[in-house]
């Protein structure tokens, strides 16, 4: 169970200490932009944690006292030094699209917006390895990679807006997870440039295993200024929508497709009521009553095979629409998957929330058991992923439950039946992940942020030390 509640936090710094940070930055001629307007402070102190009825009240009113916009590494070092000198908490921000309040400054202080660090430093022509600054938007990186015939391996459905640093520090996977697993899987993140938070900050370069303690650590143990990631050969993905009237047949197709030799970058399965709520791409017919939908990003050479594959297995799957990614108008299929499904559903049903889990195999029994107990208060949205090398189905079910105890009861029910839960209603790195303290993450914090100023309250292992 997650411990819903605020962790022990340092005192919010005095206005004088924050003012001293601002003076140091202004007098030091760093050229950073400082924002003090209450509307800016509020806007840049929040993210998409309003998906969670547990996090929303917990994080209300948590606002930075100063926002700093940086666009160069030397500016980041100046901010780190000023905050360390004055013992002012420092919370990092990319595009602010996280779902767990990751960039909400729990103890006030400074929010450092890194979205101005936008330089692509290198694309290795031989390996396709990319080194880019933390504030680069993922969509811009794919545009930079395209002339080299390369593309990012993994992207959240917020690909258009999310930053590379924010994705590595706060995300987990998404489009591409069917082929490349999750960000934490060895081989995806290759190197990091990190600024430490000390009176005399150091600029470190980490490689190999050294990157892992900072991978998905919510910016608690180092400021990432540049990242080196492996890329994939670019594929002109086709968007495909398949309709099913029978849920079991749809679920079986979702389970069997990743075991074929068809090249897929994403596969999402939406239960009929969920499909009805989505804004389908222009030209794609809306779902018929009771139609469950399987969404694919498939390589062009998979397309001639799909209709026969569907026909031969029975189950009534029908190809409903197909269109090249990036060419059609309206919402791309990518933005109907992962937490965009939740976004669209909540736009119509604001009282709903969601969960995240890796389903046990076979999946049908758990889904059926939840249906029997919770009925239409839980609607299913599945995503195909590769977990430790094996094809698995993850789920982001939509849930009409509003209290922590109701959500805990559903999570416990699923856990008891073999699901692995990634709780989106917890505040800390540990609660949103494997649930356990990672000693390497804590050791990295001690080495890079000895005074514990970075994103206070988000690393349980540090708070409990
Ligand atoms: P932010 O939200 O700004 O920051 C995220 C975390 O990283 C914070 O803890 C912040 O302090 C830290 N951070 C930011 N920059 C740095 C840095 N330079 N150095 C150190 N720490 C830093 N996530 C997925 O993994 N997969 C999905 O498919 C997905 N879909 C989503 C769909 C929707 C509609 C929404 C709202 C969210 C979704 N997310 C998803 C969550 C989020 O969009 C992604 O994780 C995204 O990559 C975060 O990037 P960001 O730039 O917005 O980071």
């Amino acid at each position: 169970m997650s411990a819903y509640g605020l962790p022990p936090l340092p005192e919010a710094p005095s206005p004088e200490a924050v003012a001293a940070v601002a003076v140091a930055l202004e007098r030091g001629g760093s050229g950073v932009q400082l924002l003090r307007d209450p509307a800016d402070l509020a806007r840049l102190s929040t993210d998409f944690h309003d998906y969670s009825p547990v996090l929303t009240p917990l994080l209300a009113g948590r606002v930075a006292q100063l926002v700093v916009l940086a666009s160069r590494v030397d500016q980041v070092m100046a901010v780190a030094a000023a905050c360390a000198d004055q013992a002012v908490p420092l919370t990092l921000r990319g595009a602010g699209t996280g779902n767990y309040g990751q960039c909400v400054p729990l103890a006030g202080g400074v929010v450092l917006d890194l979205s101005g660090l936008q330089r692509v430093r290198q694309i290795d022509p031989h390996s396709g390895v990319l080194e880019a600054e933390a504030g680069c938007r993922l969509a811009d990186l794919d545009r930079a990679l395209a002339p080299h015939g390369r593309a990012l391996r993994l992207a959240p459905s917020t690909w258009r807006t999310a930053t590379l640093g924010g994705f590595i520090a706060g995300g987990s996977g998404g489009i591409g997870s069917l082929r490349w697993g999750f960000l934490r899987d060895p081989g995806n993140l290759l190197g990091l440039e990190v600024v430490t938070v000390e009176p005399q900050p150091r600029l470190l370069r980490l490689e190999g295993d050294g990157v892992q303690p900072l991978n998905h650590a919510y910016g608690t143990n180092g400021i990432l200024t540049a990242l080196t990631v492996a890329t994939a050969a670019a594929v002109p993905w086709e968007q495909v929508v398949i309709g099913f009237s029978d849920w079991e047949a749809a679920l079986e197709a979702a389970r069997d497709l990743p075991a074929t030799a068809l090249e897929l970058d994403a596969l999402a399965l939406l239960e009929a009521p969920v499909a009805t709520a989505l804004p389908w791409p222009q030209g794609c017919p809306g779902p018929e009553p009771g139609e469950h939908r399987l969404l694919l990003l498939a390589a062009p050479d998979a397309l001639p095979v799909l209709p026969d594959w569907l026909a031969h297995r029975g189950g009534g799957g029908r190809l409903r629409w197909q269109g090249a990614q990036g060419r059609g108008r309206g919402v791309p299929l990518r933005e109907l998957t992962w937490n965009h499904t939740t976004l669209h559903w909540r736009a119509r049903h604001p009282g709903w929330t969601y969960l995240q889990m890796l389903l046990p195999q076979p999946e049908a029994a758990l889904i059926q058991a939840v249906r029997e107990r919770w009925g239409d208060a839980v609607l299913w949205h599945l995503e195909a992923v590769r977990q430790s090398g094996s094809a698995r189905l993850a789920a982001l079910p939509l849930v009409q439950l509003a209290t922590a105890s109701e959500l805990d009861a559903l999570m416990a029910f699923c856990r008891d039946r073999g699901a692995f839960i990634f709780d989106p209603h917890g505040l800390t790195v540990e609660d949103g992940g494997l649930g356990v303290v990672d000693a390497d993450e804590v050791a990295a914090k001690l080495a890079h942020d000895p005074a514990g100023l970075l994103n206070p309250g988000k690393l349980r292992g540090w708070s409990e030390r």
Side-chain angles (χ1 to χ4, degrees), residues 47-48 51 91-99 101-103 114 134-135 138 155-158 161-175 183 217-220 222-225 227 337-341 343 455 458:
D47 59 9
F48 283 77
Y51 282 26
T91 299
L92 311 174
R93 180 182 176 90
T97 66
N99 286 117
Q102 290 118 303
C103 58
L114 292 142
L138 300 174
S157 58
T158 45
T161 45
T163 65
L164 181 60
F167 185 40
I168 299 291
S172 51
I175 315 296
L183 286 169
Y218 292 8
T220 56
I223 309 176
L224 313 180
T225 47
L227 303 93
T337 66
W338 290 93
N339 240 345
H340 266 83
T341 317
L343 178 89
N455 212 350
K458 303 287 174 46

Side-chain angles (χ1 to χ4, degrees), residues 134-400:
C136 290
R137 277 185 303 181
L138 300 174
D140 291 338
L141 291 176
D142 266 334
R143 275 189 276 278
L145 287 164
H148 302 265
R150 308 294 299 183
L152 294 172
R153 285 182 171 187
L154 294 166
S157 58
T158 45
W159 169 84
R160 283 206 247 193
T161 45
T163 65
L164 181 60
F167 185 40
I168 299 291
S172 51
I175 315 296
S177 282
L178 177 50
R179 294 198 296 162
W180 300 105
F182 293 90
L183 286 169
R184 290 280 291 210
D185 289 345
N188 285 324
L189 175 63
L190 305 178
L192 290 175
E193 184 184 84
V194 180
V195 171
T196 63
V197 180
E198 300 170 285
Q200 290 181 329
R202 292 166 291 149
L203 184 64
L204 308 175
R205 291 194 74 90
L206 307 179
E207 289 173 347
D209 279 354
V211 301
Q212 289 302 21
L214 286 83
N215 192 347
H216 197 71
Y218 292 8
T220 56
N221 55 12
I223 309 176
L224 313 180
T225 47
L227 303 93
T228 305
V229 293
T231 63
V235 177
W237 298 109
E238 290 283 335
Q239 310 172 101
V240 179
V241 175
I242 300 167
F244 288 86
S245 53
D246 180 59
W247 171 258
E248 298 302 330
L251 181 59
E252 271 177 33
R255 210 181 40 220
D256 293 349
L257 261 170
T260 65
L262 302 175
E263 195 178 1
L264 303 175
D265 203 34
L267 180 159
L269 176 59
L270 307 173
E271 201 178 352
V274 182
T276 315
L278 300 191
W280 293 94
Q282 204 173 57
C284 175
E288 292 167 359
E291 181 185 332
H292 311 291
R293 283 199 154 176
L294 193 60
L295 279 46
L296 305 178
L297 291 180
D301 57 12
L303 295 181
V305 184
L306 263 172
D308 281 352
W309 186 85
L310 286 167
H312 285 151
R313 58 189 285 113
R318 287 182 301 140
L319 201 60
R320 299 282 277 126
W321 179 76
Q322 172 209 325
Q325 175 166 269
R327 292 216 208 110
R329 299 185 49 199
V331 175
L333 221 52
R334 181 200 312 112
E335 290 180 11
L336 303 185
T337 66
W338 290 93
N339 240 345
H340 266 83
T341 317
T342 320
L343 178 89
H344 296 303
W345 179 262
R346 278 179 34 81
R348 290 193 184 193
H349 307 277
W352 285 60
T353 184
Y354 77 115
L355 290 180
Q356 300 177 136
M357 63 183 84
L358 189 67
L359 292 172
Q361 290 176 309
E363 300 82 1
L366 168 66
I367 293 174
Q368 187 53 31
V370 170
R371 277 206 184 115
E372 282 166 15
R373 169 112 178 244
W374 277 274
D376 291 343
V378 179
L379 297 173
W380 289 94
H381 158 205
L382 274 48
E383 297 280 349
V385 298
R386 211 177 87 169
Q387 167 75 14
S388 304
S390 308
R392 295 285 296 266
L393 289 174
L396 289 83
L398 295 153
V399 175
Q400 193 183 24

Side-chain angles (χ1 to χ4, degrees), residues 12-15 18 35-36 41 45 63-67 88-89 105 107-111:
S14 67
V18 177
L35 303 179
R36 299 180 178 90
L41 298 182
S45 294
V63 178
Q65 290 152 282
L66 178 72
V67 170
V88 166
V110 170
V111 161

